[in-house]
Amino acid sequence: MNLYRLSSLLFSFLVWSCISSLSAQTSQLRAYTLEDGLPQSQVYDIVQDEIGYLWLGTQGGGLSQFNGDEFKIWTESDGLQSNYIHALAFANDSLFIGTKSGLSIKTKNKFTNLEGPRINRIYKIKNKTYLATNIGIYEYQKNLGLVKINLNPKINTSIINDIVYDGRLFWIATNKGLWKLNHIRKGASIIERHSAHDYTAAIFHKNKIFAAALNQGVLVINTNAKSYGNRWISKPLRVNNISVYNDNELWFATNDEGIIIVDANKRKIKKRINRRNGLAVSHIRKTILDRQSNIWIATSGGGFYKYFENNFIHYDQNTGLKGNRVYAIHTAKDGIWASNSEAGLVKIDSSGIHHIKQEERLSEVKIKSITSDISGNIWAGTDGKGILFKEIKEVDSIVIDSSNIQGIEKDSLVKIDTIVKTVIKNHIIDTDKGLLSNWIRTIHVDNSTIWAASYSTGITKFKYDPEKKRLLGVKNFQRRNGIKDLQISYMLQDSLGKIWYATQNGHLGYIKNNRVTHFDNVLNQKTTISTLFFHKNSLFIGTAGRGIWWTSLEGDLIFKKLKGRKKPYSNNIYQMIFDNQDNLWVGSERGVDKIELNQFNDIVDVFHFGRNDGFLGIETCLNSVTKDQEGNLWFGAIYGLTKYQPSDITKTTIKPELYFENIEVAYQSVDSINLNTWTNSTNVLKLKPNQTELSFSYKTIDLDHPNDIQYRIKLNASEWSPWSSDHKQNLAGLAYGSHVFYAQSRNYRWEESDPIAFNFFIDSPIYEKLWFQLAVLAVILLIIGGYGISYIRRVKRKNKEERKRLEMKNHLLSLEQKALRLQMNPHFIFNALNGIKAMGTSNPQRMNNTINTFATLLRETLDNSRKDYITLDQEIQTLKHYIEIEQLMASKPFTYNIAIDTEFDPEEILIPPMLIQPFVENAVRHGILKGSRAGELKVQFHTTEEFLHCTVLDNGQGIFESQKAKTNTDHQSMALTVTRERLESISGKDSLTIEEIKTNGNTVAGTQIAFKIPLQTDY
């Protein structure tokens, strides 16, 4: 073989390797197996309901519901007819389950089982449900159950594998041929039977029937042509199911070749998805496309898979890596170098994955840091073995074409060529050669200078001479050099040449010109600084549990936490890198986040990528991230290596849809209504008065991000609740009347669903109904009215009697008042006449004056006695006449004074007549005339807002001394008693006070009588 042919073959092999490698990598498959909760590894059918759940029928594991994260399982113990399920389909709000023993219908949580033959397919066509069974076609009828349709003896005894309706005709794929019918009913005409092969699957697409025949290929029938024809696609041969995606791709699920994708127009194979792409088995039962553009693959023995084409390419042990854990990764001149578990290094370039022979001394050793120098040599820091230096040289190798070397002539020319050969020489640099420690946390190359940061002993700076195998210019940086915290977690160089280091205790520092500048706990947080990154004159810090912080390198280091409307999915930051579009990518234990920042380093948006988005590595490894020369990002993780190729084509999210899953009233599910038709409708659920406790369950299914859905609710016109992950709300003690319950969801992109509403009405108790209350009120009013009328009659009768009694009493009181006045008048007259009589013999002239004054007083007294009230002025005039008579009759002279202190005119004030005279008489007769002092009498009047006050003062011997000399029949005592009674009847008890006036020496100086009566005026 000549050199040219050798080179051509080598080039062809490399191209084929590259293409096959890339082909194997672009098919992203996420497996769900028994370890994830799948009840059985043989999945024979998958369907998606209107809410978004995936339903899986298994062989032996029963029925399973999948929400993107968890499985819920129903088996025979839950009422399912058989755990061996071959077909699934939805009709209205019920799930039809075809089993090996017949049909099960699941409506909510109740199963209805109908025995019959094994069901292979279930179809809903023209509002009828057809069942393809092992012994013909059956129809499900709600009232009759399973009813066999007699079509043709051969069809009736055939295994029915598929039914297709093209809009006019029915195509029946059986083990005895492909049949064409005008109807599926008794007496239907058999138009044609195509070749008598064993047809296992069929589909109608763009006016063509594609029917797969076992071991024959796929028959293509043009349904709108005059002649149907018999065109065949030679492969695949053993098809279980056919689906159409991307408008023109036929996906054939086969028994032994995985999935074969065929162009429907060109009828050529475009792609294969099989074990080379990551499938565990080649037996595929079915594929479906969900509403989020993911394709799900059901296998027999390998569980089921999620398939998606996106910007991620995943490498793991199944696709060429030595192991799944990728501890370190670096972009070098010749490709991507990665530390692969404890099995050494791998290199990835355009020709695929290359295993680098492991150095024996580094067997089972972890490599945590990889970098390269300007010559392309690889430097790797290890755990416990120091630094691995891979010296890479390219040497020339001579190749001679000796195919015709025998029998050549002496002067003939021999073809000689030179090819370049790469030689790798390994060097181990450890403590024996001058390192501080063999445990290397981070290694960095600055031109020819090497910086090695150990776990706990400091940083070594050196140069290495590979010829002499020794270190040059070694400089160690430890605590005595200014590094206060030696627990170094990461090291990185900035654009100014400073070597920055971070520690596990949150310290930060840099080395410049062999001088250490150390900053203590820069974040004032108890946390480890895991990683550093410099971007546009800013320093970004990733922490273990405290998120991302940043600071400008211009001026003092003042760190701010990265904040925004959205937050990264985790605060445990393992990796950080910026892509060519200035987006910050962050790796954590939950996958990776793409963070869009504005010019102020505020978070604008966050895009998360986890297992369901194609990032299959799950948890990223510390600082295992790099960017290659094309701008692709590479992430090392515990489950492999993932490459991200930036492009404008990204998977668009769909607006979330929210559905009511269940409504419970008093802890009992409402199974009598279809929740989907009642949602956002005018239907109202009528509830009894004692049904005031409701529970609403609602759900949005996102198969890509099942744990990132949030919900909020409100009742009636109240405010929305805060967003939370709760998708069930219990309401208790609801008020009677109409209510509306609202719920809304949002996905991981914060796109909100349309709110859903449910109307319900809680009937009030009979005692709270208006008609009942009105009726009771009317009865009460009638009773009250009847009682009121009777009461009014009794009251009127009683009031009449009382009025008569009061009139009589009033008359008697009037007579009594007049009698009281008459009691005083004879007494006064008697006293006056006795005085006049005594003057008859001693002083006739004085007697005449007294008689004249007495006549005037007597006339006033008689006039006043007929009145209930007189004016104060009249009363004062009467008192003056009385006092003047007493002065004329007195045995000793005395003086008197009447004073008035009021804002009213005395003629306006009204008082009862003859009320004051008895007190004045008592003061004169028993006070002044019996005293030893010259007599003085004072009568004082003053008013307040409510009363007229009267005070009578004398300077006689005192009332108590005077009373000692009185007899029980004393007329004056009788007058005082009568007057006291009058005052009590007018002003109440204790309205009269009588007391002696005493001097400082406790000598009696006279008597004071005071009383009050209600103030009355004549207006």
Side-chain angles (χ1 to χ4, degrees), residues 21 26 35 56 77 193 217 278 355 480 487 526 547 567 653 714 729 759 797 873 913 933 967 1012:
S21 174
T26 55
E35 295 179 354
L56 289 73
S77 61
R193 182 180 77 164
H355 290 185
R480 64 174 175 267
Q487 304 292 321
K526 257 190 169 182
K567 298 180 181 179
T653 59
K714 71 174 181 176
Q729 181 65 37
N759 298 289
R797 185 168 60 251
D873 181 67
R933 293 180 292 272
T967 63
K1012 63 180 181 179

Side-chain angles (χ1 to χ4, degrees), residues 755-775:
I756 58 174
F758 189 88
N759 298 289
F760 61 97
F761 177 84
I762 302 177
D763 198 6
S764 58
I766 189 171
Y767 59 81
E768 289 200 6
K769 293 183 180 296
L770 181 60
W771 66 266
F772 180 82
Q773 293 175 345
L774 291 175

Side-chain angles (χ1 to χ4, degrees), residues 719-852:
E719 295 293 327
W720 284 103
S721 67
W723 291 102
S724 74
S725 58
D726 295 333
H727 53 90
K728 185 174 183 179
Q729 181 65 37
N730 297 318
L731 303 175
L734 293 170
Y736 305 120
S738 299
H739 298 281
V740 185
F741 179 82
Y742 298 92
Q744 191 176 26
S745 68
R746 70 180 183 187
N747 60 15
Y748 81 110
R749 298 292 307 130
W750 287 17
E751 294 175 298
E752 297 178 0
S753 70
D754 293 328
I756 58 174
F758 189 88
N759 298 289
F760 61 97
F761 177 84
I762 302 177
D763 198 6
S764 58
I766 189 171
Y767 59 81
E768 289 200 6
K769 293 183 180 296
L770 181 60
W771 66 266
F772 180 82
Q773 293 175 345
L774 291 175
V776 171
L777 182 61
V779 172
I780 292 174
L781 289 176
L782 287 174
I783 294 173
I784 293 175
Y787 178 79
I789 293 172
S790 175
Y791 176 76
I792 290 171
R793 288 177 178 175
R794 291 199 306 271
V795 168
K796 282 183 177 181
R797 185 168 60 251
K798 187 175 179 180
N799 287 343
K800 187 176 181 181
E801 295 174 355
E802 182 68 17
R803 186 168 59 253
K804 290 180 179 179
R805 187 183 68 80
L806 291 176
E807 289 176 353
M808 181 62 70
K809 185 177 180 180
N810 186 49
H811 181 65
L812 292 175
L813 286 175
S814 177
L815 293 176
E816 183 180 353
Q817 292 290 333
K818 292 179 179 180
L820 286 174
R821 291 196 292 271
L822 290 175
Q823 287 178 7
M824 292 185 294
N825 292 339
H827 179 70
F828 171 72
I829 295 170
F830 175 77
N831 289 336
L833 291 177
N834 282 337
I836 293 172
K837 179 182 177 182
M839 284 186 275
T841 57
S842 58
N843 192 347
Q845 182 61 37
R846 186 179 179 186
M847 181 186 68
N848 291 332
N849 294 334
T850 302
I851 290 173
N852 293 331

Side-chain angles (χ1 to χ4, degrees), residues 29 257-258 273-283 318-319:
L29 292 170
E257 296 183 83
I273 303 175
N274 48 34
R275 289 189 176 185
R276 285 192 63 190
N277 307 94
L279 290 176
V281 296
S282 297
H283 189 167
N318 295 327
T319 54

